[in-house]
Amino acid sequence: MVFAATPPPLTHRARPAIVPAELAEPLRSKTDAMKISFAKPAALKGHAAVVFAGPGGKLFSHGVKLDADSGGAITRAIKAASFEGKKNQVLELLGLPQIGATRLLVAGIGKAGDIDDKAAEEVGGALIAKLQTSGETAVNIVIDDIAGLKLKGSDFAARLAYGMKLRSYRFDRYRTKAEEGKKPTLGKVVLMVDETKKAEAAFARLDAVANGVFFARDLVSEPGNVIYPASYAKEIKKLEKQGLKIQVLDEKAMKKLGMGALLGVAQGSAHQAKLVIMEWRGAKNAKAKPIAFVGKGLTFDSGGISLKPGEGMQDMKFDMAGSAAVVGVMQALAARQAKVNAVGVVALVENMPSDKAQRPGDVVKSMSGQTIEVINTDAEGRLVLADALWYTQSRFKPQCIIDLATLTGAMIIALGHEYAGVFSNDDTLAQQLIAAGEAEGDLTWRMPIGKMYEKDIESDIADMKNTGAGRTAGSIAGAMFLKRYVNDLPWAHIDIAGTAWIKKDKPTVPKGATGYGVRLLDRLVADYYEEK
Ligand code: BES
Ligand code: MN
Ligand code: ZN
């Protein structure tokens, strides 16, 4: 018997995909909807204004001066509201004609000496939450005089701006009517700081990363009828303008490479799968081994024949968040001209049930040559990543390889929405990811892998199966599976099922798509892989 563990001819795809009208427009939200600039401290003219306060609501010199101008109105309000100047506390004052501002916000920062980069970003986030839809169109933020600050004034200003931008993100493309009071009004932020040039330079670098985060959030927020493998690939292709080399493999090319695991998942969908390869060569030696990022890009995961329950299925448009983080960080590295060689590979696939779909029990052959028994068609992420990982390690021989994936619901059970799980065969790489995550607020927690778990993915008829041992250690089973496709390179798998999407605002992340992973990977590169 001939064992042809590759999908049958894909004749049912002849019908062209329905292309929604929205696609005629660019998919990307405006990253510069709110203009941020830096200027020397000057008199406040109109608009909202912000000054800062420390413990006990103690104002710094600029606030003290405004307080005097207003005949003590600010200190009276601080008392009346029991405002303690704690970090992220904001006191709002209206109707103070003497100070030249339409409204004054007093932003608590707690002990100035405790303020680090992340804390400054959070203060910025708290301010935007108050101002974005307030009716104000512009705000002046006065930071010339904060005593006891360990950060340089210029860095404080830049981080504040970064937090403001990150929190200001909105995904409004599909609203045709904006509810009054929910419409963003704030279009201009001016940070008044002595060292304007230094603040601008510091912010430019952060802004590049923020734009990568925004791109990732946009991609994840888009519904499955707009972002499908072909439209997604087209969107990525636009990054060529920024100096990235982009290559798109179609199913024919993938079939030639023997990617039976990836194609098995794709075969039920009317949308053809794509594998997109992004290269950034920023190191002095363009041939130096790159760092490699691989992303799960399920543009929609219905579960396939092992269909998911209807409730909450709409959330599975986000199942490409791993790929979005990879795309976002590649854009950021290019935008900030990072001195590193990096490759990003994203596997773009839709998992659908149909008469052509893969069945539970099917056996597929991966590019690596290893065979897989597909017990559950809903454990599709590892199938797709198996071929993407193998392809990446064999073509690029990277110094290390990091994959990101919304791989298992079990990850959410284990760590909730705060930490992503990191699984690694390399202690150094795992430590680097933990440290980079801590620094950026994209938190990672190390999870175990090891020989003891091999038995969980043993199959009776193939080299492995695509599920674990019942309901136990499901996330580890996924990692154990992926480990077999990295050929012993230093590798880390980050399961972002819980962190890619949140239902409640965080200080610098509005609810919805988080863009998790962009900051993490950018920081990893900056701290450990970039030429100084
Ligand atoms: N994309 C899902 C994982 C997921 C589920 C993320 C819920 C976020 C919320 C993945 O493809 C999946 O369906 N995994 C299965 C694996 C199982 C069948 C072994 C899961 O977690 O249930
Ligand atoms: Mn699934
Ligand atoms: Zn999935």
Side-chain angles (χ1 to χ4, degrees):
M1 195 179 80
V2 183
F3 175 44
T6 38
L10 303 163
T11 45
H12 68 299
R13 270 86 174 270
R15 182 167 55 80
I18 302 153
V19 179
E22 286 84 353
L23 261 189
E25 301 161 27
L27 287 172
R28 307 172 69 166
S29 65
K30 285 180 90 176
T31 52
D32 60 350
M34 197 176 76
K35 287 253 180 303
I36 296 176
S37 60
F38 300 85
K40 298 257 186 248
L44 304 173
K45 284 199 222 83
H47 306 309
V50 176
V51 295
F52 297 90
K58 195 170 177 311
L59 295 164
F60 300 105
S61 63
H62 209 93
V64 170
K65 184 178 163 296
L66 292 181
D67 189 40
D69 292 349
S70 66
I74 302 175
T75 42
R76 280 199 300 280
I78 285 173
K79 269 226 181 76
S82 313
F83 175 76
E84 294 171 80
K86 286 193 189 140
K87 188 170 84 73
N88 299 357
Q89 229 186 348
V90 181
L91 177 70
E92 234 174 318
L93 289 87
L94 296 152
L96 295 177
Q98 309 92 326
I99 65 167
T102 50
R103 108 173 45 199
L104 181 73
L105 274 62
V106 183
I109 58 167
K111 265 177 72 185
D114 291 345
I115 289 279
D116 57 10
D117 288 350
K118 240 192 309 177
E121 290 166 24
E122 290 187 3
V123 173
L127 286 171
I128 271 301
K130 288 272 186 208
L131 286 166
Q132 190 172 27
T133 59
S134 64
E136 300 288 351
T137 56
V139 62
N140 295 307
I141 302 176
V142 190
I143 37 186
D144 59 331
D145 60 358
I146 298 170
L149 202 60
K150 275 209 214 83
L151 286 182
K152 281 189 286 184
S154 54
D155 286 333
F156 180 67
R159 287 285 165 175
L160 206 66
Y162 191 32
M164 293 181 87
K165 173 152 174 166
L166 287 169
R167 179 64 187 269
S168 76
Y169 176 81
R170 320 250 312 184
F171 187 75
D172 285 339
R173 282 187 75 211
Y174 301 111
R175 289 185 197 283
T176 60
K177 350 185 204 307
E179 240 176 283
E180 250 351 284
K182 287 196 176 168
K183 240 189 290 192
T185 54
L186 195 75
K188 198 172 164 211
V189 173
V190 181
L191 293 116
M192 294 184 165
V193 58
D194 285 323
E195 296 189 297
T196 313
K197 283 276 165 301
K198 276 197 186 147
E200 273 167 1
F203 181 65
R205 191 186 180 294
L206 300 173
D207 198 31
V209 181
N211 289 337
V213 172
F214 275 31
F215 191 14
R217 288 178 184 170
D218 279 353
L219 290 166
V220 174
S221 304
E222 288 289 356
N225 65 328
V226 174
I227 282 281
Y228 46 85
S231 65
Y232 192 174
K234 218 168 111 189
E235 205 53 38
I236 298 172
K237 195 95 170 117
K238 293 181 189 163
L239 295 179
E240 273 175 346
K241 277 202 295 271
Q242 299 199 25
L244 289 171
K245 191 170 141 203
I246 315 272
Q247 188 188 356
V248 181
L249 302 189
D250 61 10
E251 286 190 351
K252 209 172 131 210
M254 288 190 267
K255 198 165 174 205
K256 227 167 141 182
L257 288 162
M259 295 188 173
L262 186 155
L263 292 170
V265 176
Q267 77 191 33
S269 167
H271 289 298
Q272 292 230 9
K274 306 278 180 196
L275 190 80
V276 184
I277 300 114
M278 295 157 268
E279 285 180 71
W280 170 250
R281 301 270 166 194
K284 266 196 217 90
N285 175 4
K287 292 211 175 101
K289 279 188 173 183
I291 181 171
F293 306 123
V294 175
K296 170 178 173 181
L298 265 288
T299 60
F300 187 72
D301 177 16
S302 68
I305 296 296
S306 312
L307 194 63
K308 287 181 181 295
E311 196 182 322
M313 201 200 273
Q314 70 279 4
D315 294 346
M316 284 301 130
K317 71 171 183 178
F318 98 133
D319 209 20
M320 33 58 71
S323 69
V326 171
V327 173
V329 78
M330 292 304 291
Q331 177 190 281
L333 293 178
R336 69 174 185 78
Q337 297 281 306
K339 295 187 189 63
V340 71
N341 292 339
V343 300
V345 175
V346 290
L348 312 181
V349 185
E350 184 179 59
N351 187 19
M352 287 298 222
S354 78
D355 60 329
K356 307 293 189 299
Q358 160 163 278
R359 289 151 291 257
D362 281 5
V363 174
V364 294
K365 187 171 195 165
S366 66
M367 182 184 173
S368 72
Q370 302 174 94
T371 58
I372 305 158
E373 184 185 10
V374 179
I375 300 296
N376 188 322
T377 66
D378 196 12
E380 84 298 337
R382 63 201 72 180
L383 295 171
V384 161
L385 285 172
D387 282 335
L389 284 167
W390 188 264
Y391 175 84
T392 304
Q393 66 77 25
S394 68
R395 173 168 170 195
F396 293 103
K397 309 273 180 302
Q399 42 178 321
C400 64
I401 187 162
I402 298 160
D403 77 75
L404 291 95
T406 47
L407 202 73
T408 61
M411 199 71 250
I412 312 176
I413 306 298
L415 297 178
H417 300 282
E418 308 300 333
Y419 281 85
V422 54
F423 305 76
S424 183
N425 60 4
D426 188 280
D427 292 344
T428 307
L429 181 57
Q431 274 314 315
Q432 291 170 344
L433 282 164
I434 289 165
E438 196 67 47
E440 293 292 319
D442 275 356
L443 299 173
T444 59
W445 194 263
R446 188 157 185 195
M447 301 283 291
I449 52 171
K451 271 215 288 295
M452 320 72 100
Y453 295 98
E454 295 282 8
K455 62 181 183 326
D456 292 7
I457 56 172
E458 268 168 24
S459 159
D460 288 338
I461 65 162
D463 296 337
M464 69 200 78
K465 61 176 179 179
N466 77 330
T467 53
R471 290 166 53 79
T472 65
S475 305
I476 300 174
M480 291 302 294
F481 184 100
L482 298 178
K483 184 173 175 292
R484 296 187 179 192
Y485 295 87
V486 294
N487 220 359
D488 289 331
L489 276 178
W491 153 80
H493 155 61
I494 309 175
D495 193 333
I496 62 169
T499 53
W501 190 277
I502 52 173
K503 294 197 162 142
K504 272 201 190 120
D505 292 334
K506 288 185 181 177
T508 57
V509 189
K511 68 174 191 221
T514 59
Y516 180 98
V518 176
R519 294 185 63 175
L520 171 68
L521 297 179
D522 176 75
R523 182 68 174 242
L524 179 81
V525 167
D527 284 358
Y528 304 105
Y529 294 90
E530 208 170 338
E531 292 164 2
K532 298 289 173 224

